[in-house]
């Protein structure tokens, strides 16, 4: 990928279709039984996932700040903004917009303050998402977080 990303520096062409890297990596993993680490650069499941508020803000403002490689170049669909205990306003606002929500600044601040109440919830040992990461999926009761009845979409 260095050769492709920095063509100006290396002045070399490989002819490799880099958009097949992710699929090839998954095929090799499946055939060999060797699991690719989630945080593996370029092809790991979290290679283009951003959970830290400062990274989310940087990526949303200027993608190349934290992603020198465009996910599309390796066959990944896109970057992901993951809501976690470290997420900030920009990440939450982005996720809400992806879901089709557009709130006034005043309403967003209320929603953000509700998010702050649940975002620090520790991860369960089972590895299942906590309310902070699944917060934007309302339950049948209409509550956004079953653990905190004060947080709702209503």
């Amino acid at each position: 990928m260095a050769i492709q990303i920095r063509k100006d520096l290396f002045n070399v062409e490989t002819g490799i279709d880099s958009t097949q890297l992710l699929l090839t990596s998954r095929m090799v993993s499946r055939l060999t039984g060797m699991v690719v680490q989630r945080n593996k650069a370029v092809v790991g499941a979290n290679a283009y996932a951003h959970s830290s508020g400062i990274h989310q803000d940087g990526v949303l403002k200027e993608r190349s700040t934290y992603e020198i490689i465009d996910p599309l170049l390796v066959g990944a669909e896109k970057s992901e903004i993951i809501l976690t205990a470290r997420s900030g306003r920009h990440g939450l606002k982005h996720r809400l917009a992806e879901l089709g929500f557009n709130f006034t600044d005043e309403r967003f601040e209320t929603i953000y303050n509700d998010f702050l109440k649940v975002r620090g919830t520790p991860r369960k040992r089972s590895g299942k998402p906590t309310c902070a990461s699944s917060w934007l999926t309302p339950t049948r009761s209409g509550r956004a977080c079953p653990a905190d009845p004060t947080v709702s979409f209503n």
Side-chain angles (χ1 to χ4, degrees):
M1 284 310 301
I3 292 172
Q4 184 168 350
I5 298 298
R6 297 302 310 266
K7 290 177 188 174
D8 59 321
L9 180 65
F10 295 109
N11 200 24
V12 176
E13 179 63 42
T14 65
I16 295 172
D17 181 4
S18 66
T19 63
Q20 299 301 308
L21 282 176
L22 187 59
L23 286 175
T24 303
S25 174
R26 288 181 179 165
M27 179 185 67
V28 170
S29 176
R30 189 179 68 252
L31 294 173
T32 63
M34 295 180 67
V35 178
V36 175
Q37 296 171 343
R38 296 187 68 73
N39 62 341
K40 180 72 177 167
V42 183
V43 294
N46 293 339
Y48 305 99
H50 305 281
S51 61
S52 172
I54 189 107
H55 289 188
Q56 292 173 344
D57 187 60
V59 166
L60 293 170
K61 286 179 179 173
E62 173 52 54
R63 186 161 308 281
S64 65
T65 304
Y66 288 97
E67 287 183 359
I68 191 169
I69 300 172
D70 183 329
L72 296 174
L73 287 176
V74 298
E77 288 182 29
K78 63 177 184 165
S79 298
E80 287 186 89
I81 300 295
I82 311 290
L83 294 180
T84 70
R86 300 177 312 234
S87 296
R89 282 180 174 81
H90 202 172
L92 178 59
K93 189 173 271 194
H94 173 79
R95 180 66 180 130
L96 289 168
E98 282 184 330
L99 294 170
F101 293 102
N102 185 15
F103 297 103
T104 64
D105 289 344
E106 183 179 315
R107 178 67 177 126
F108 175 74
E109 284 304 312
T110 302
I111 291 168
Y112 180 71
N113 288 328
D114 287 344
F115 176 70
L116 291 178
K117 291 177 188 176
V118 296
R119 76 174 188 172
T121 306
R123 222 171 155 73
K124 296 178 184 174
R125 293 194 128 192
S126 67
K128 293 179 182 174
T130 61
C131 291
S133 57
S134 62
W135 189 66
L136 295 177
T137 306
T139 61
R140 287 185 185 160
S141 67
R143 291 193 315 260
C145 177
D148 187 345
T150 65
V151 180
S152 73
F153 284 104
N154 304 328

